Amino acid sequence: MTIGGFVSAANLSCQSTLTGNQTLRCGFLNNSVKTNALAFGGCESMGHSLRIPHTKAIRLRPRKGVSPLQVVCMDFPRPELENTVNFLEAAYLSSSFRASARPSKPLTVVIAGAGLAGLSTAKYLADAGHKPILLESRDVLGGKVAAWKDGDGDWYETGLHIFFGAYPNVQNLFGELGIDDRLQWKEHSMIFAMPKKPGEFSRFDFPEVLPAPLNGIWAILKNNEMLTWPDKVKFAIGLLPAMLGGQAYVEAQDGLTVKEWMRKQGVPDRVTDEVFVAMSKALNFINPDELSMQCILIALNRFLQEKNGSKMAFLDGNPPERLCMPIVDHIQSLGGEVRLNSRIQKIELNNDGTVKSFLLNNGNMIEGDAYVFATPVDILKLLLPENWKEIPYFQRLKKLVGVPVINVHIWFDRKLKNTYDHLLFSRSPLLSVYADMSLTCKEYYNPNQSMLELVFAPAEEWISRSDSDIIDATMNELARLFPDEISADQSKAKIVKYHVVKTPRSVYKIVPDCEPCRPLQRSPIEGFYLAGDYTKQKYLASMEGAVLSGKLCAQAIVQDYELLIARGQTRLAQASVY
């Protein structure tokens, strides 16, 4: 696998739409519970698969005390999000691009990377009347939300992608594109597997009748399987400084890991083990002894301050077609371009150290009035020009490193009964979160077979292991989660096929003291900008962070319009002299 830039010479002019009859997404009626999770996908990925044929027909037998399987529609209405402060703030920022004065000379802005950050940057620049040229190294849109179709027509993805009510810029983006109906909202609950009670789950239910943060407090107080009352009291006391100290206190905790902070505040290790191991892995694919506590506090603040902040939705199909293509269509309708299948070989510089062009692998050069790198930080660091590396702005990037993650998809020969129409925190040493995508997603719905999609994390020790090793380890963990239905030797549910997607460098690793290293979108190099969830914005490593970073990048370019036009005129004048 190689890591490279994002550019191409081929124009993307096709429009991807789903054809045929859409099957309404369904779920289990009996014994059905719901969940919620924080899970994010990876970046430069490679998919591997194995198909295992089977001929034996299996008849489902209901477990003792469980009614026969019944399937019913279970999606929930879209929550009311429009009146929240964050949503209105995001909507205002979006409207500022459409309302800005039309430029007398639109800027040509070359953007490397067609993930959500690059797509967002291009979308809002096009809204402001400029011409983005969006360039992607691979043949698929989406970056960290990329997905591929196998020979059977089944999709497999870079990661499980969760759309929260507390993602105001993402929610605005869906509304601006007219695709709100592509989000399948789930019940406002969180659910955790119980490793010491195989096959059982513990849920946190957020009552609709209570406002935030009372609904979250009620959900915690009502759950007695995971935390005792003394645990809850000590945790609440430990959180008091964060509640009273506000943002200043939160930012000051960047120097501590989750485990260090919990012990400093007198919170029992049991709270960390029961709740925050799962939460840490879901947020950043690492354990509490590595994750910065600032990340946890920011997440708690975002998800508990709004009534529907932690309510989540699945996309109704694969992200490249159902989310990315509508953005591409919008960009192209306003005169922008999106190109696939090439990559940047080098950032060519002028004599003054500013960007002259992006040199592509095929030898072509792409020039513009401004340049944006919206790739993962690891790719940017590989392509940084030598004379930029000593600039403090770029030097600080050394601290930001992508975390490895693995996404596993397993198709079984039967419908599993102990899954739910939601995401689950596995609380496994090897797995982060998982979902039966044959229940949660319209496009993936299958009434006869389950397809589990699982995030394998932490993955650092496994990223170089074989796919068969990873599948074996996953099956061992699933045998603990589904003891009545899955066994490691496949004597129960049998694997039909699987795909393993490895991402050696995914979202940036949120370890202590990395927050000061996150760069602003406007670099010290005139005409050069950054976008990506690792750049400075308040939503950390997430889809919301990527979209917001793109908006902030586009805003910086629009604000710099006169400067960029003047630079272009100066270059033309100098060229005419020679």
Side-chain angles (χ1 to χ4, degrees), residues 198-217:
E200 296 186 21
F201 298 87
S202 179
R203 49 186 296 156
F204 292 80
D205 296 316
F206 294 72
E208 295 295 329
V209 296
L210 293 178
L214 295 179
N215 59 345
I217 294 172

PDB file of all heavy atoms in Angstrom, residues 198-217:
ATOM      1  N   PRO A 198     -22.347 -13.012  28.811  1.00  0.00           N
ATOM      2  CA  PRO A 198     -22.433 -13.185  27.355  1.00  0.00           C
ATOM      3  C   PRO A 198     -23.872 -13.215  26.850  1.00  0.00           C
ATOM      4  O   PRO A 198     -24.742 -13.858  27.455  1.00  0.00           O
ATOM      5  CB  PRO A 198     -21.738 -14.528  27.115  1.00  0.00           C
ATOM      6  CG  PRO A 198     -20.807 -14.684  28.273  1.00  0.00           C
ATOM      7  CD  PRO A 198     -21.521 -14.067  29.434  1.00  0.00           C
ATOM      8  N   GLY A 199     -24.092 -12.471  25.766  1.00  0.00           N
ATOM      9  CA  GLY A 199     -25.424 -12.420  25.185  1.00  0.00           C
ATOM     10  C   GLY A 199     -26.329 -11.380  25.801  1.00  0.00           C
ATOM     11  O   GLY A 199     -27.450 -11.174  25.316  1.00  0.00           O
ATOM     12  N   GLU A 200     -25.870 -10.691  26.865  1.00  0.00           N
ATOM     13  CA  GLU A 200     -26.687  -9.664  27.505  1.00  0.00           C
ATOM     14  C   GLU A 200     -26.117  -8.274  27.221  1.00  0.00           C
ATOM     15  O   GLU A 200     -24.922  -8.124  26.967  1.00  0.00           O
ATOM     16  CB  GLU A 200     -26.769  -9.902  29.018  1.00  0.00           C
ATOM     17  CG  GLU A 200     -27.473 -11.189  29.389  1.00  0.00           C
ATOM     18  CD  GLU A 200     -27.678 -11.322  30.891  1.00  0.00           C
ATOM     19  OE1 GLU A 200     -27.651 -10.276  31.584  1.00  0.00           O
ATOM     20  OE2 GLU A 200     -27.853 -12.459  31.362  1.00  0.00           O
ATOM     21  N   PHE A 201     -27.003  -7.275  27.289  1.00  0.00           N
ATOM     22  CA  PHE A 201     -26.618  -5.904  26.977  1.00  0.00           C
ATOM     23  C   PHE A 201     -27.174  -4.953  28.026  1.00  0.00           C
ATOM     24  O   PHE A 201     -28.175  -5.226  28.667  1.00  0.00           O
ATOM     25  CB  PHE A 201     -27.141  -5.501  25.587  1.00  0.00           C
ATOM     26  CG  PHE A 201     -26.573  -6.325  24.473  1.00  0.00           C
ATOM     27  CD1 PHE A 201     -27.175  -7.519  24.098  1.00  0.00           C
ATOM     28  CD2 PHE A 201     -25.437  -5.919  23.811  1.00  0.00           C
ATOM     29  CE1 PHE A 201     -26.656  -8.296  23.082  1.00  0.00           C
ATOM     30  CE2 PHE A 201     -24.905  -6.681  22.800  1.00  0.00           C
ATOM     31  CZ  PHE A 201     -25.512  -7.877  22.425  1.00  0.00           C
ATOM     32  N   SER A 202     -26.479  -3.860  28.184  1.00  0.00           N
ATOM     33  CA  SER A 202     -26.906  -2.831  29.135  1.00  0.00           C
ATOM     34  C   SER A 202     -27.161  -1.549  28.362  1.00  0.00           C
ATOM     35  O   SER A 202     -26.316  -1.102  27.591  1.00  0.00           O
ATOM     36  CB  SER A 202     -25.818  -2.615  30.187  1.00  0.00           C
ATOM     37  OG  SER A 202     -26.207  -1.609  31.088  1.00  0.00           O
ATOM     38  N   ARG A 203     -28.321  -0.945  28.577  1.00  0.00           N
ATOM     39  CA  ARG A 203     -28.684   0.211  27.770  1.00  0.00           C
ATOM     40  C   ARG A 203     -28.830   1.496  28.581  1.00  0.00           C
ATOM     41  O   ARG A 203     -29.173   1.480  29.758  1.00  0.00           O
ATOM     42  CB  ARG A 203     -29.944  -0.046  26.950  1.00  0.00           C
ATOM     43  CG  ARG A 203     -31.109  -0.619  27.679  1.00  0.00           C
ATOM     44  CD  ARG A 203     -32.250  -0.964  26.718  1.00  0.00           C
ATOM     45  NE  ARG A 203     -32.820   0.190  26.046  1.00  0.00           N
ATOM     46  CZ  ARG A 203     -33.469   0.125  24.878  1.00  0.00           C
ATOM     47  NH1 ARG A 203     -33.597  -1.028  24.253  1.00  0.00           N
ATOM     48  NH2 ARG A 203     -33.982   1.200  24.345  1.00  0.00           N
ATOM     49  N   PHE A 204     -28.541   2.594  27.909  1.00  0.00           N
ATOM     50  CA  PHE A 204     -28.757   3.933  28.449  1.00  0.00           C
ATOM     51  C   PHE A 204     -29.826   4.583  27.579  1.00  0.00           C
ATOM     52  O   PHE A 204     -29.595   4.848  26.398  1.00  0.00           O
ATOM     53  CB  PHE A 204     -27.473   4.766  28.393  1.00  0.00           C
ATOM     54  CG  PHE A 204     -26.388   4.289  29.316  1.00  0.00           C
ATOM     55  CD1 PHE A 204     -25.579   3.219  28.966  1.00  0.00           C
ATOM     56  CD2 PHE A 204     -26.175   4.917  30.535  1.00  0.00           C
ATOM     57  CE1 PHE A 204     -24.574   2.780  29.817  1.00  0.00           C
ATOM     58  CE2 PHE A 204     -25.174   4.481  31.390  1.00  0.00           C
ATOM     59  CZ  PHE A 204     -24.370   3.404  31.031  1.00  0.00           C
ATOM     60  N   ASP A 205     -30.996   4.829  28.148  1.00  0.00           N
ATOM     61  CA  ASP A 205     -32.118   5.391  27.390  1.00  0.00           C
ATOM     62  C   ASP A 205     -32.299   6.864  27.740  1.00  0.00           C
ATOM     63  O   ASP A 205     -32.439   7.219  28.910  1.00  0.00           O
ATOM     64  CB  ASP A 205     -33.409   4.633  27.704  1.00  0.00           C
ATOM     65  CG  ASP A 205     -33.339   3.179  27.261  1.00  0.00           C
ATOM     66  OD1 ASP A 205     -32.868   2.942  26.142  1.00  0.00           O
ATOM     67  OD2 ASP A 205     -33.754   2.293  28.045  1.00  0.00           O
ATOM     68  N   PHE A 206     -32.313   7.707  26.711  1.00  0.00           N
ATOM     69  CA  PHE A 206     -32.489   9.150  26.882  1.00  0.00           C
ATOM     70  C   PHE A 206     -33.963   9.494  26.684  1.00  0.00           C
ATOM     71  O   PHE A 206     -34.460   9.437  25.559  1.00  0.00           O
ATOM     72  CB  PHE A 206     -31.633   9.913  25.870  1.00  0.00           C
ATOM     73  CG  PHE A 206     -30.153   9.762  26.071  1.00  0.00           C
ATOM     74  CD1 PHE A 206     -29.504   8.568  25.772  1.00  0.00           C
ATOM     75  CD2 PHE A 206     -29.401  10.822  26.564  1.00  0.00           C
ATOM     76  CE1 PHE A 206     -28.141   8.423  25.954  1.00  0.00           C
ATOM     77  CE2 PHE A 206     -28.028  10.681  26.754  1.00  0.00           C
ATOM     78  CZ  PHE A 206     -27.392   9.484  26.451  1.00  0.00           C
ATOM     79  N   PRO A 207     -34.685   9.858  27.742  1.00  0.00           N
ATOM     80  CA  PRO A 207     -36.123  10.129  27.603  1.00  0.00           C
ATOM     81  C   PRO A 207     -36.397  11.380  26.762  1.00  0.00           C
ATOM     82  O   PRO A 207     -35.742  12.409  26.926  1.00  0.00           O
ATOM     83  CB  PRO A 207     -36.593  10.317  29.041  1.00  0.00           C
ATOM     84  CG  PRO A 207     -35.365  10.685  29.812  1.00  0.00           C
ATOM     85  CD  PRO A 207     -34.225   9.992  29.131  1.00  0.00           C
ATOM     86  N   GLU A 208     -37.363  11.265  25.868  1.00  0.00           N
ATOM     87  CA  GLU A 208     -37.693  12.373  24.975  1.00  0.00           C
ATOM     88  C   GLU A 208     -38.332  13.551  25.713  1.00  0.00           C
ATOM     89  O   GLU A 208     -38.283  14.686  25.238  1.00  0.00           O
ATOM     90  CB  GLU A 208     -38.648  11.887  23.877  1.00  0.00           C
ATOM     91  CG  GLU A 208     -38.033  10.863  22.929  1.00  0.00           C
ATOM     92  CD  GLU A 208     -36.900  11.441  22.100  1.00  0.00           C
ATOM     93  OE1 GLU A 208     -36.942  12.654  21.797  1.00  0.00           O
ATOM     94  OE2 GLU A 208     -35.963  10.694  21.771  1.00  0.00           O
ATOM     95  N   VAL A 209     -38.928  13.280  26.867  1.00  0.00           N
ATOM     96  CA  VAL A 209     -39.682  14.334  27.551  1.00  0.00           C
ATOM     97  C   VAL A 209     -38.784  15.285  28.331  1.00  0.00           C
ATOM     98  O   VAL A 209     -39.242  16.340  28.776  1.00  0.00           O
ATOM     99  CB  VAL A 209     -40.732  13.720  28.501  1.00  0.00           C
ATOM    100  CG1 VAL A 209     -41.766  12.941  27.703  1.00  0.00           C
ATOM    101  CG2 VAL A 209     -40.067  12.825  29.544  1.00  0.00           C
ATOM    102  N   LEU A 210     -37.528  14.920  28.519  1.00  0.00           N
ATOM    103  CA  LEU A 210     -36.629  15.759  29.314  1.00  0.00           C
ATOM    104  C   LEU A 210     -35.683  16.544  28.422  1.00  0.00           C
ATOM    105  O   LEU A 210     -35.204  16.038  27.396  1.00  0.00           O
ATOM    106  CB  LEU A 210     -35.805  14.897  30.277  1.00  0.00           C
ATOM    107  CG  LEU A 210     -36.575  14.189  31.402  1.00  0.00           C
ATOM    108  CD1 LEU A 210     -35.621  13.347  32.238  1.00  0.00           C
ATOM    109  CD2 LEU A 210     -37.302  15.206  32.277  1.00  0.00           C
ATOM    110  N   PRO A 211     -35.357  17.782  28.805  1.00  0.00           N
ATOM    111  CA  PRO A 211     -34.373  18.566  28.048  1.00  0.00           C
ATOM    112  C   PRO A 211     -32.963  18.134  28.425  1.00  0.00           C
ATOM    113  O   PRO A 211     -32.746  17.393  29.392  1.00  0.00           O
ATOM    114  CB  PRO A 211     -34.647  19.998  28.511  1.00  0.00           C
ATOM    115  CG  PRO A 211     -35.123  19.834  29.925  1.00  0.00           C
ATOM    116  CD  PRO A 211     -35.922  18.554  29.930  1.00  0.00           C
ATOM    117  N   ALA A 212     -31.999  18.611  27.650  1.00  0.00           N
ATOM    118  CA  ALA A 212     -30.586  18.379  27.998  1.00  0.00           C
ATOM    119  C   ALA A 212     -30.179  19.356  29.099  1.00  0.00           C
ATOM    120  O   ALA A 212     -30.691  20.477  29.157  1.00  0.00           O
ATOM    121  CB  ALA A 212     -29.713  18.583  26.770  1.00  0.00           C
ATOM    122  N   PRO A 213     -29.279  18.972  30.012  1.00  0.00           N
ATOM    123  CA  PRO A 213     -28.624  17.667  30.102  1.00  0.00           C
ATOM    124  C   PRO A 213     -29.378  16.659  30.970  1.00  0.00           C
ATOM    125  O   PRO A 213     -28.843  15.603  31.275  1.00  0.00           O
ATOM    126  CB  PRO A 213     -27.281  18.022  30.723  1.00  0.00           C
ATOM    127  CG  PRO A 213     -27.603  19.146  31.659  1.00  0.00           C
ATOM    128  CD  PRO A 213     -28.697  19.940  30.982  1.00  0.00           C
ATOM    129  N   LEU A 214     -30.635  17.014  31.364  1.00  0.00           N
ATOM    130  CA  LEU A 214     -31.372  16.134  32.267  1.00  0.00           C
ATOM    131  C   LEU A 214     -31.628  14.772  31.641  1.00  0.00           C
ATOM    132  O   LEU A 214     -31.639  13.753  32.345  1.00  0.00           O
ATOM    133  CB  LEU A 214     -32.696  16.785  32.677  1.00  0.00           C
ATOM    134  CG  LEU A 214     -32.595  18.077  33.506  1.00  0.00           C
ATOM    135  CD1 LEU A 214     -33.980  18.617  33.819  1.00  0.00           C
ATOM    136  CD2 LEU A 214     -31.817  17.810  34.790  1.00  0.00           C
ATOM    137  N   ASN A 215     -31.848  14.732  30.310  1.00  0.00           N
ATOM    138  CA  ASN A 215     -32.104  13.427  29.689  1.00  0.00           C
ATOM    139  C   ASN A 215     -30.878  12.519  29.776  1.00  0.00           C
ATOM    140  O   ASN A 215     -30.993  11.314  29.970  1.00  0.00           O
ATOM    141  CB  ASN A 215     -32.560  13.590  28.238  1.00  0.00           C
ATOM    142  CG  ASN A 215     -31.544  14.307  27.367  1.00  0.00           C
ATOM    143  OD1 ASN A 215     -30.599  14.940  27.852  1.00  0.00           O
ATOM    144  ND2 ASN A 215     -31.727  14.221  26.048  1.00  0.00           N
ATOM    145  N   GLY A 216     -29.680  13.123  29.649  1.00  0.00           N
ATOM    146  CA  GLY A 216     -28.457  12.338  29.784  1.00  0.00           C
ATOM    147  C   GLY A 216     -28.221  11.889  31.221  1.00  0.00           C
ATOM    148  O   GLY A 216     -27.788  10.752  31.461  1.00  0.00           O
ATOM    149  N   ILE A 217     -28.493  12.786  32.162  1.00  0.00           N
ATOM    150  CA  ILE A 217     -28.333  12.431  33.579  1.00  0.00           C
ATOM    151  C   ILE A 217     -29.279  11.295  33.943  1.00  0.00           C
ATOM    152  O   ILE A 217     -28.905  10.338  34.631  1.00  0.00           O
ATOM    153  CB  ILE A 217     -28.575  13.670  34.466  1.00  0.00           C
ATOM    154  CG1 ILE A 217     -27.472  14.713  34.216  1.00  0.00           C
ATOM    155  CG2 ILE A 217     -28.638  13.276  35.936  1.00  0.00           C
ATOM    156  CD1 ILE A 217     -27.730  16.033  34.899  1.00  0.00           C
TER     157      ILE A 217
END
